[in-house]
Amino acid sequence: MVNLKPLRRSNPRDVEAPDKYYAKAVGSGVTDLRRLAHLISNQSTVRKADCLAVLEALQHNISDELGQGRIVKLGDFGTFQVGVRSNGADTEEEVSQNLVKSAHLNFRPGRDFKSLLKTLSYKLVG
């Protein structure tokens, strides 16, 4: 169940328009690497410490591969890729790394997660 709360927003294209309320998903807690290691160890014969070591290595290597400009595909989980926001240039020749304003991470969910997103249920919270 995904928790929702109402969020009031103005229209940036029309500052005179009345504000509207939109549904915003809010977290109901945090699951960290230790919790994931605990959950995995309970579902397998692998000890929690070993699961944690593998998850930490996975995290390190994903970061390293993304830093090398690679796309990281984790099977049916999904794909990670670095994206950038940049200033515009008038010509192709003027495009350079100096135009980059910031970097972000793109995640494209795999098949199983796409299915999950279609079947979620929601609950409005205060």
Side-chain angles (χ1 to χ4, degrees), residues 1-7 23-29 123-126:
M1 178 100 33
V2 175
N3 293 330
L4 302 174
K5 74 174 189 176
L7 178 66
K24 177 181 166 85
V26 293
S28 60
K123 178 176 83 170
L124 191 62
V125 296

Side-chain angles (χ1 to χ4, degrees), residues 1-65:
M1 178 100 33
V2 175
N3 293 330
L4 302 174
K5 74 174 189 176
L7 178 66
R8 188 169 116 186
R9 288 197 173 158
S10 59
N11 184 343
R13 293 184 181 174
D14 183 3
V15 292
E16 301 297 321
D19 291 351
K20 289 189 176 185
Y21 288 85
Y22 298 88
K24 177 181 166 85
V26 293
S28 60
V30 175
T31 299
D32 61 9
L33 283 182
R34 290 186 183 282
R35 172 80 176 140
L36 287 173
H38 172 77
L39 293 170
I40 293 167
S41 70
N42 285 336
Q43 297 169 346
S44 68
T45 59
V46 182
R47 293 179 22 201
K48 178 182 172 183
D50 296 327
C51 292
L52 185 57
V54 170
L55 289 171
E56 287 177 346
L58 177 67
Q59 179 180 316
H60 170 80
N61 285 292
I62 288 172
S63 177
D64 203 40
E65 293 297 302

Side-chain angles (χ1 to χ4, degrees), residues 101-119:
K101 296 190 304 185
S102 64
H104 58 274
L105 195 58
N106 293 324
F107 175 72
R108 290 181 297 281
R111 181 184 33 186
D112 293 345
F113 285 94
K114 284 182 184 177
S115 296
L116 166 77
L117 294 173
K118 293 177 184 174
T119 61

